[in-house]
Amino acid sequence: LNILHYTVLIINTNTSSAAMILLSCPSKGTSASASSVLNRNSKLYGPMNALDLKSGISNCWNSDAVVAPNGGSKNNNSVDGNDEGTSIDFIIDFHRTVCVEEIRIQFQGGFVGKDCILYVPNNNNDEKEEKWLELEEAIVEPEDTTEVQCFDLTEESETNRRHCPTLKLKFDDSSDFYGRVTIYKIEVWGTEE
């Protein structure tokens, strides 16, 4: 009998002393919402499906087609170039303060959210300020593939901003002509406070 032995080397570049855990698990009270759900059918296509890791790719979140202000599809060129209101938001509410360190997303190829911007809640109670603050240094640039994509946020963004009870992903574009996004699963990893 030939027995092969494999050695797996895991290098932890994370400088924090706490080990990363899955933060976006519904069993821990995490919930999700989205600005768009295909045919408004949350049971089949709702955002909670993307958090359910047990279902594999049989369940997913699907956004509806985005209608541009001119009434055409999102990617049709409008006369005035106005794309306002054509982004899709996916919001993960942890219902506790966490420190987000990594995001893993599996899209359906051809329906990948592009131009992704991450936001955390603005804790100032000033009504004149924005409700959400952009994680300006966080780089999330999904590729048009069905493979799981990992985005490390520890290198690029401020640690204090990554401490949050809620995380918003805003997709300003999609690889789909009609602006639809499909996420099979999304995992947020980090530490709890």
Side-chain angles (χ1 to χ4, degrees):
L1 269 185
N2 288 336
I3 299 176
L4 295 175
H5 293 279
Y6 293 97
T7 303
V8 178
L9 176 62
I10 299 174
I11 300 173
N12 185 1
T13 59
N14 182 358
T15 58
S16 71
S17 60
M20 285 196 313
I21 60 169
L22 179 62
L23 301 171
S24 55
C25 185
S27 66
K28 292 187 175 194
T30 301
S31 61
S33 60
S35 60
S36 173
V37 175
L38 182 62
N39 299 329
R40 295 188 179 138
N41 188 336
S42 291
K43 183 171 182 163
L44 287 178
Y45 308 115
M48 287 298 292
N49 291 337
L51 297 182
D52 183 8
L53 303 179
K54 296 176 186 171
S55 63
I57 60 172
S58 63
N59 282 344
C60 59
W61 165 66
N62 290 69
S63 74
D64 224 336
V66 176
V67 178
N70 67 353
S73 69
K74 180 196 179 305
N75 291 327
N76 281 350
N77 294 326
S78 61
V79 174
D80 60 3
N82 183 6
D83 282 338
E84 187 176 322
T86 60
S87 65
I88 297 173
D89 297 338
F90 189 95
I91 300 171
I92 302 169
D93 191 345
F94 303 104
H95 299 286
R96 64 202 185 279
T97 300
V98 300
C99 181
V100 177
E101 297 182 18
E102 183 177 278
I103 299 174
R104 300 175 190 171
I105 307 174
Q106 183 180 18
F107 293 96
Q108 178 177 333
F111 297 89
V112 175
K114 299 289 201 174
D115 299 335
C116 182
I117 303 169
L118 299 180
Y119 293 90
V120 294
N122 185 351
N123 293 330
N124 288 342
N125 293 329
D126 187 354
E127 293 180 18
K128 295 178 185 176
E129 292 189 33
E130 295 291 323
K131 182 177 177 183
W132 295 95
L133 294 174
E134 180 180 345
L135 281 177
E136 294 175 0
E137 302 299 321
I139 299 173
V140 179
E141 297 174 343
E143 296 178 13
D144 192 354
T145 179
T146 304
E147 299 297 318
V148 175
Q149 301 177 57
C150 298
F151 304 99
D152 181 5
L153 306 180
T154 59
E155 298 279 327
E156 305 295 332
S157 58
E158 299 176 33
T159 302
N160 61 338
R161 283 255 178 112
R162 290 185 289 109
H163 289 267
C164 59
T166 308
L167 182 68
K168 177 168 95 170
L169 291 83
K170 179 180 177 185
F171 301 106
D172 283 335
D173 198 5
S174 169
S175 60
D176 174 55
F177 177 78
Y178 296 103
R180 297 169 292 190
V181 176
T182 299
I183 296 178
Y184 288 126
K185 69 177 175 180
I186 183 165
E187 300 176 4
V188 180
W189 290 79
T191 56
E192 293 181 325
E193 296 207 350

